[in-house]
């Protein structure tokens, strides 16, 4: 198991480091007590801290959301998926409830049309560090969370990664950004294989109204899903169309959609869509072989 970044930083700074199997074990609690901390700090800890440890020290949790919105495991991803224009970081006193203790918050403007996890998380990390130092040095008043506006950021599961074409294209575009670059979204091809999607954008067809109606009828007849139109890799959705700009085939590397189409042809058609050769006029020669990959 890889050491977490905080562990690597502690080693680099020659800070004593312990990594117990459970923070609630008596040995772990004794190690903390021996350090006589003025406060214990956790961030993205992922394990439940129980009594008696919970009451033995002041425990501060650095949580990347404006609580009480997005309590739980995946606040940054869920904020982007929801299209939140404002997000931030809360420094919260840990209590028995899930991310429900009193705290102080710092706000960050998020771009609901452009931010990904990769662009937003570092900014929130900086805000979280500044807020934590301020909370430790100045001991600002911690305010109880409001009862209104509570929402929960459930852990990202396999179903969250799937770009379901029965959903609106705008929703799926946000999903791609929310899971990039650390988890990744996926689209299902006609053969049932999964295509990783690293970057996508809403697709607006430049055509006349009559052409759009004709294409819409054709798309409806073919059904929703990944297709190629105007030399672009598209995901036709219940509402709107998503252009898949950077993708990753199974077992392959990320590439732009043009490179993918050159190497793989139509989605779900295998290595490359092959043209059927015309019959040769000389039966002794046979058929002209189709172009190789």
């Amino acid at each position: 198991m890889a050491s977490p970044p905080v562990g690597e930083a502690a080693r680099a700074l020659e800070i004593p480091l312990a990594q117990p199997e459970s923070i609630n074990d008596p040995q772990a609690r004794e190690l903390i007590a021996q350090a006589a901390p003025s406060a214990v700090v956790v961030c993205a800890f992922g394990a439940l801290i129980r009594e008696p440890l919970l009451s033995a020290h002041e425990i501060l949790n650095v949580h990347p959301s404006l609580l009480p919105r997005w309590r739980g495991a995946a606040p940054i991803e869920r904020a982007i998926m929801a299209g939140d224009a404002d997000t931030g970081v809360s420094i919260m006193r840990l209590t028995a409830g899930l991310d429900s203790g009193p705290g102080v918050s710092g706000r960050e403007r998020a771009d609901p049309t452009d931010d990904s996890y990769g662009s937003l998380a570092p900014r929130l990390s900086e805000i979280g560090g500044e807020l934590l130092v301020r909370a430790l040095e100045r001991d600002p008043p911690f305010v109880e969370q409001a009862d209104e506006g509570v929402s929960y950021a459930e852990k990202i599961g396999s179903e969250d990664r799937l770009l379901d074409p029965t959903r609106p294209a705008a929703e799926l575009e946000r999903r791609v950004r929310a899971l990039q670059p650390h988890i990744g979204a996926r689209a299902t091809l006609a053969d049932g294989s999964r295509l990783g999607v690293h970057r996508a954008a809403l697709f607006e067809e430049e055509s006349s109204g009559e052409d759009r109606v004709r294409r819409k009828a054709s798309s409806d007849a073919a059904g929703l899903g990944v297709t190629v139109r105007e030399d672009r890799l598209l995901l036709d959705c219940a509402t709107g169309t998503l252009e898949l700009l950077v993708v990753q085939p199974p077992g392959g590397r990320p590439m732009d959609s043009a490179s993918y189409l050159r190497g793989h042809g139509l989605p779900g058609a295998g290595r490359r869509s092959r043209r059927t050769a015309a019959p040769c006029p000389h039966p002794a020669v046979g058929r002209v072989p189709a172009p190789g990959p």
Side-chain angles (χ1 to χ4, degrees):
M1 182 180 294
S3 181
V6 68
E8 295 298 332
R11 291 188 182 94
L13 296 170
E14 298 183 348
I15 297 174
L17 175 67
Q19 293 180 280
E21 289 188 9
S22 172
I23 195 66
N24 296 292
D25 286 347
Q27 297 88 342
R29 300 202 312 269
E30 178 61 26
L31 280 174
I32 296 173
Q34 288 175 5
S38 58
V40 174
V41 176
V42 296
C43 179
F45 189 58
L48 185 64
I49 297 178
R50 302 185 178 92
E51 296 291 358
L53 180 59
L54 190 61
S55 299
H57 309 276
E58 178 173 66
I59 304 178
L60 301 182
N61 181 22
V62 184
H63 185 81
S65 83
L66 296 175
L67 293 170
R69 186 162 175 78
W70 302 127
R71 296 174 177 174
I76 300 177
E77 294 92 338
R78 297 299 180 185
I80 296 173
M81 287 180 183
D84 289 0
D86 290 295
T87 186
V89 179
S90 299
I91 308 297
M92 172 196 62
R93 284 200 179 102
L94 210 61
T95 61
L98 177 63
D99 297 331
S100 58
V104 294
S105 298
R107 188 175 298 272
E108 169 68 10
R109 175 73 181 176
D111 185 343
T113 65
D114 189 59
D115 262 319
S116 66
Y117 180 95
S119 65
L120 184 56
R123 302 205 310 269
L124 295 180
S125 178
E126 290 186 13
I127 293 174
E130 294 169 359
L131 276 177
L132 177 61
V133 170
R134 190 183 313 159
L136 292 171
E137 292 181 346
R138 303 180 187 178
D139 193 23
F142 279 56
V143 179
E144 294 290 342
Q145 294 184 33
D147 295 329
E148 300 80 25
V150 176
S151 61
Y152 292 93
E154 301 292 340
K155 182 179 179 180
I156 300 297
S158 58
E159 68 281 358
D160 294 303
R161 301 181 60 192
L162 188 62
L163 299 179
D164 180 359
T166 65
R167 305 299 303 168
E171 176 185 311
L172 300 187
E173 189 274 334
R174 296 194 301 268
R175 186 175 298 263
V176 172
R177 288 189 283 112
L179 303 181
Q180 176 62 25
H182 58 316
I183 298 175
R186 301 181 297 183
T188 303
L189 301 179
D191 62 359
S193 62
R194 298 286 174 82
L195 182 67
V197 180
H198 291 260
R199 192 159 65 88
L202 295 178
F203 179 66
E204 298 291 340
E205 296 180 277
E206 296 180 1
S207 55
S208 67
E210 184 177 326
D211 286 341
R212 285 195 294 271
V213 170
R214 186 164 55 250
R215 286 196 181 102
K216 179 66 166 58
S218 174
S219 175
D220 288 345
L224 306 177
V226 180
T227 186
V228 177
R229 196 160 61 249
E230 299 180 15
D231 295 324
R232 295 170 183 259
L233 188 60
L234 305 174
L235 179 65
D236 283 326
C237 302
T239 305
T241 298
L242 191 68
E243 182 174 4
L244 311 183
L245 299 171
V246 178
V247 298
Q248 183 172 2
R253 59 177 179 80
M255 62 187 72
D256 61 61
S257 57
S259 299
Y260 173 80
L261 290 174
R262 284 195 299 270
H264 295 77
L266 294 176
R271 278 284 303 158
R272 183 191 292 270
S273 296
R274 297 180 180 273
R275 297 188 298 273
T276 302
C280 179
H282 305 289
V285 177
R287 301 176 71 88
V288 178

